[in-house]
Amino acid sequence: MRLAAAPAADVRLPAWRARVLVALFAAALAVLLGRAAYLQGMKHEFLQAKGESRYSRVIEIPANRGRILDRNGEALAVSTPVKSIWAIPDEVRLDGAQAEALAKLLGVPARELRKRLEDTERDFVYLKRQVAPEVADRVAELRIPGVFQSREYRRYYPGGEVMAHVLGFTGVDEVGQEGIELAFQGELAGRPGSRRVIKDRMGRIVEDVESIRAAQEGRDVVLALDSRIQHLAFQHLRDAVAQHRARAGGIVVLDAATGELLALANLPTYNPNNRAQLAGAQLRNRAVTDAFEPGSTLKPFTVALALDTGRVRPDSTIQTAPGSLTIGPATIRDAHPAGALTVRQVIQKSSNVGSAKIALGMPAETMWALFDDLGFGAPPRTGFPGEASGKLRPAKTWRPVEQATMSYGHGISVSLVQLARAYTVFARDGELVPVSLVRLASPPPARRVLSSGTAREVRAMLEMAVQPGGTAPRAQIMGYRVAGKTGTAHKQENGGYAPNKYISSFVGFAPVSHPRLVIAVMLDEPSAGEYYGGAVAAPVFSQVMAGALRLLGVPPDAPMTPIELPAPGAEVKESV
């Protein structure tokens, strides 16, 4: 039987419908091919980066910061390895117990920790920097997804408060903030490196792909500092500040031959390893950043200039009676009125009147030129951050009374480092050398400021000043000849001078036969009854100089006979 033909079988579709359908498929294919070509060609790097971001990481390889060493190779600042705990907020998954445990380990309040982890707009947050390795291990044991660790370094200072103002400290990223750490940041820091690695979803490195840049370790810095002398200087300065109930104090020890800084200490101080309670007054490197009126420690330079220009001789007589000198509305006075004094005795007895008369016999411009040659009024360029330049006004602005008072250290200000450096001209037969923070292979070029004959004549006067009859017999050292000068000045306050506040100082060198060290000491506002430089600062000089010379093996140049010191309050008091 023959089947009837189905009516639908005879229906024929229009040809254009097939063409449209083919065209649509062809267009879709073209779009897909174009999109593929665009992504593969134009967006290749973008897509590659997106893909790699799921598993590939570039990690920083920290560079070890260079050490700071003293001149004998003792480590003064070193970097110890620690860990940083960080997180990717989007990936962190932790329950309440884990959150409490993590907060306790890191020493961070739980509320603060949750706040950091809820900041999903950030791809990376630090939870705690510079964590001890054993703490980091306990954090890892919590196995919290999205919490990771990275290696870094923390700076450690074995000398603590003794070295604080010399070394300074670094911040949490090991960038120098103060002292040598800041001054030599470029040499110490090095350069971190980087590596590309593959990590799994737990943040663990499963493959080390390549090194992008090798870490460049920081270089060690070898200081001129002698840690033995530094400890000695700090100890005796601390004892003197406590004994005389001083507000602050400073000491500088220089190698007279090279200008190398062998010790520098200040009080108050701080512990650079624990700066949680650090105050601004503790940070001040007073020996470098603070300027003060040096008082009678400047008299030797006034006398040296007069000798060098031929205006006086060591035995020239200066009439200081009746112990005062009136210049306009101002009157200059001596603590102990005397009659005729030789130039030597002007230094030995520390006569303000004698010094003023010598100064007024010279042009102001000549005095200014010497002070300028000595480095007063300009930063000493040691490299320490925040160096004080002090105050030295132009000579054309000096009135006669100002020239007179500048001759004995009033109306001019200097830092303790500037003052110590200036005294090297007497220790070096008239030559001045720059101060060096780093150990030198050979002595630096010196600059002549005074004739050698003048320097030796003043050196003899300064030796008289520390012997009986002078203002600083307490600066003497058994077995060594010592030379130096006291300074006592009213402290400047509110645009004037405080009547009962003083800056007490002493600067000297030894042994006189062949000077090896220059030491400058300053105490700010001693308030235990004594305030003259000979009673307050000179004993610190004696103790530190004696110990330092023996540490350096400097042979004695005087008989080893006991020294007779005057009773307290009986020494010659300098004019203030």
Side-chain angles (χ1 to χ4, degrees):
M1 182 177 74
R2 192 172 59 149
L3 295 175
D10 294 333
V11 176
R12 293 184 177 274
L13 295 175
W16 64 267
R17 293 183 63 181
R19 295 189 186 97
V20 169
L21 188 60
V22 170
L24 288 174
F25 276 109
L29 179 62
V31 169
L32 290 175
L33 290 174
R35 179 63 175 170
Y38 171 75
L39 292 177
Q40 293 293 327
M42 304 296 293
K43 290 291 186 177
H44 174 76
E45 293 182 0
F46 171 77
L47 293 173
Q48 185 73 20
K50 284 294 184 181
E52 290 180 352
S53 68
R54 302 296 190 272
Y55 63 87
S56 177
R57 296 284 190 275
V58 174
I59 61 172
E60 184 177 277
I61 308 299
N64 195 8
R65 189 174 178 86
R67 299 174 299 167
I68 301 177
L69 309 174
D70 86 337
R71 65 184 303 107
N72 300 310
E74 181 175 338
L76 306 179
V78 294
S79 293
T80 57
V82 290
K83 295 289 186 70
S84 280
I85 310 300
W86 57 278
I88 300 175
D90 277 342
E91 298 182 7
V92 174
R93 302 290 183 270
L94 76 168
D95 55 34
Q98 286 179 315
E100 292 293 334
L102 182 59
K104 184 176 180 180
L105 283 173
L106 300 182
V108 177
R111 180 179 299 178
E112 174 64 23
L113 185 65
R114 291 191 185 94
K115 182 179 178 181
R116 295 183 193 178
L117 293 175
E118 290 170 359
D119 186 4
T120 56
E121 293 184 0
R122 300 176 63 183
D123 295 331
F124 173 98
V125 292
Y126 275 116
L127 302 182
K128 186 68 177 289
R129 303 288 302 274
Q130 297 189 346
V131 173
E134 56 271 20
V135 175
D137 291 342
R138 294 178 64 186
V139 170
E141 291 172 0
L142 296 176
R143 305 180 67 85
I144 302 173
V147 175
F148 309 101
Q149 301 181 12
S150 59
R151 187 184 69 172
E152 58 183 15
Y153 295 93
R154 179 170 60 200
R155 206 66 162 164
Y156 175 64
Y157 304 93
E161 62 182 5
V162 176
M163 306 283 183
H165 290 108
V166 176
L167 303 180
F169 55 85
T170 62
V172 70
D173 291 310
E174 282 219 311
V175 176
Q177 305 293 309
E178 294 283 345
I180 295 294
E181 294 279 27
L182 174 58
F184 290 88
Q185 169 65 20
E187 291 87 340
L188 291 165
R191 190 181 66 175
S194 58
R195 296 192 66 83
R196 187 181 305 280
V197 298
I198 294 176
K199 292 187 176 184
D200 64 13
R201 64 183 299 272
M202 299 298 294
R204 295 171 298 197
I205 296 175
V206 296
E207 184 180 349
D208 190 342
V209 179
E210 62 176 338
S211 172
I212 299 174
R213 184 179 66 246
Q216 181 180 320
E217 303 295 338
R219 298 199 303 270
D220 292 345
V221 171
V222 181
L223 300 183
L225 193 84
D226 188 316
S227 59
R228 302 169 302 168
I229 298 176
Q230 176 74 15
H231 279 86
L232 185 72
F234 179 84
Q235 173 189 338
H236 290 297
L237 179 67
R238 180 187 57 196
D239 293 347
V241 167
Q243 176 187 347
H244 297 285
R245 296 202 299 270
R247 182 170 176 263
I251 185 168
V252 172
V253 182
L254 294 181
D255 187 314
T258 64
E260 291 174 301
L261 184 74
L262 301 184
L264 182 151
N266 296 279
L267 286 168
T269 184
Y270 62 95
N271 184 352
N273 298 307
N274 182 9
R275 303 191 295 274
Q277 304 298 323
L278 189 59
Q282 296 170 285
L283 273 175
R284 282 166 54 191
N285 188 347
R286 297 168 187 271
V288 175
T289 64
D290 287 15
F292 63 97
E293 291 196 345
S296 296
T297 57
L298 246 60
K299 287 175 182 171
F301 300 108
T302 302
V303 168
L305 180 60
L307 291 170
D308 219 38
T309 55
R311 286 175 169 81
V312 297
R313 299 186 307 275
D315 57 356
S316 297
T317 300
I318 309 295
Q319 182 56 256
T320 65
S324 63
L325 175 65
T326 299
I327 306 174
T331 299
I332 294 169
R333 291 185 172 84
D334 281 340
H336 299 284
L341 297 176
T342 64
V343 172
R344 294 189 182 95
Q345 291 173 316
V346 167
I347 295 297
Q348 181 189 26
K349 306 294 183 182
S350 197
S351 169
N352 286 351
V353 173
S355 180
K357 286 190 171 183
I358 292 172
L360 292 172
M362 298 182 288
E365 291 77 11
T366 306
M367 278 185 63
W368 182 92
L370 174 63
F371 290 161
D372 181 61
D373 280 346
L374 292 168
F376 300 152
R381 296 183 177 86
T382 62
F384 266 122
E387 291 179 319
S389 58
K391 182 179 71 175
L392 176 62
R393 293 185 294 107
K396 63 183 180 181
T397 67
W398 296 6
R399 295 175 297 165
V401 67
E402 293 171 329
Q403 181 177 351
T405 58
M406 281 190 197
S407 74
Y408 56 86
H410 287 258
I412 181 174
S413 64
V414 301
S415 71
L416 198 62
V417 167
Q418 286 178 313
L419 192 57
R421 182 196 179 209
Y423 264 70
T424 63
V425 299
F426 302 129
R428 292 179 51 90
D429 290 345
E431 293 180 336
L432 188 72
V433 290
V435 175
S436 176
L437 300 180
V438 297
R439 189 181 64 186
L440 301 175
S442 59
R447 180 167 53 84
R448 180 158 297 282
V449 175
L450 298 170
S451 68
S452 58
T454 294
R456 286 193 292 267
E457 287 171 342
V458 176
R459 188 189 304 170
M461 298 177 194
L462 293 173
E463 189 173 10
M464 289 175 59
V466 304
Q467 294 171 351
T471 59
R474 295 183 182 277
Q476 296 177 87
I477 304 171
M478 186 172 68
Y480 294 95
R481 294 169 58 196
V482 172
K485 185 70 187 72
T486 54
T488 310
H490 284 284
K491 191 172 180 180
Q492 289 182 312
E493 191 174 72
N494 300 324
Y497 290 95
N500 298 310
K501 295 180 180 179
Y502 301 89
I503 298 286
S504 306
S505 58
F506 183 88
V507 192
F509 48 89
V512 170
S513 59
H514 188 70
R516 176 64 192 278
L517 299 177
V518 174
I519 297 181
V521 182
M522 179 275 294
L523 268 72
D524 182 4
E525 290 187 35
S527 59
E530 294 182 304
Y531 56 84
Y532 286 102
V536 173
V540 181
F541 166 90
S542 175
Q543 294 160 341
V544 176
M545 181 66 83
L549 290 176
R550 293 183 181 108
L551 284 171
L552 296 174
V554 178
D557 67 339
M560 298 294 290
T561 55
I563 295 171
E564 293 186 13
L565 298 178
E571 53 266 283
V572 176
K573 295 178 175 60
E574 65 193 299
S575 303
V576 180

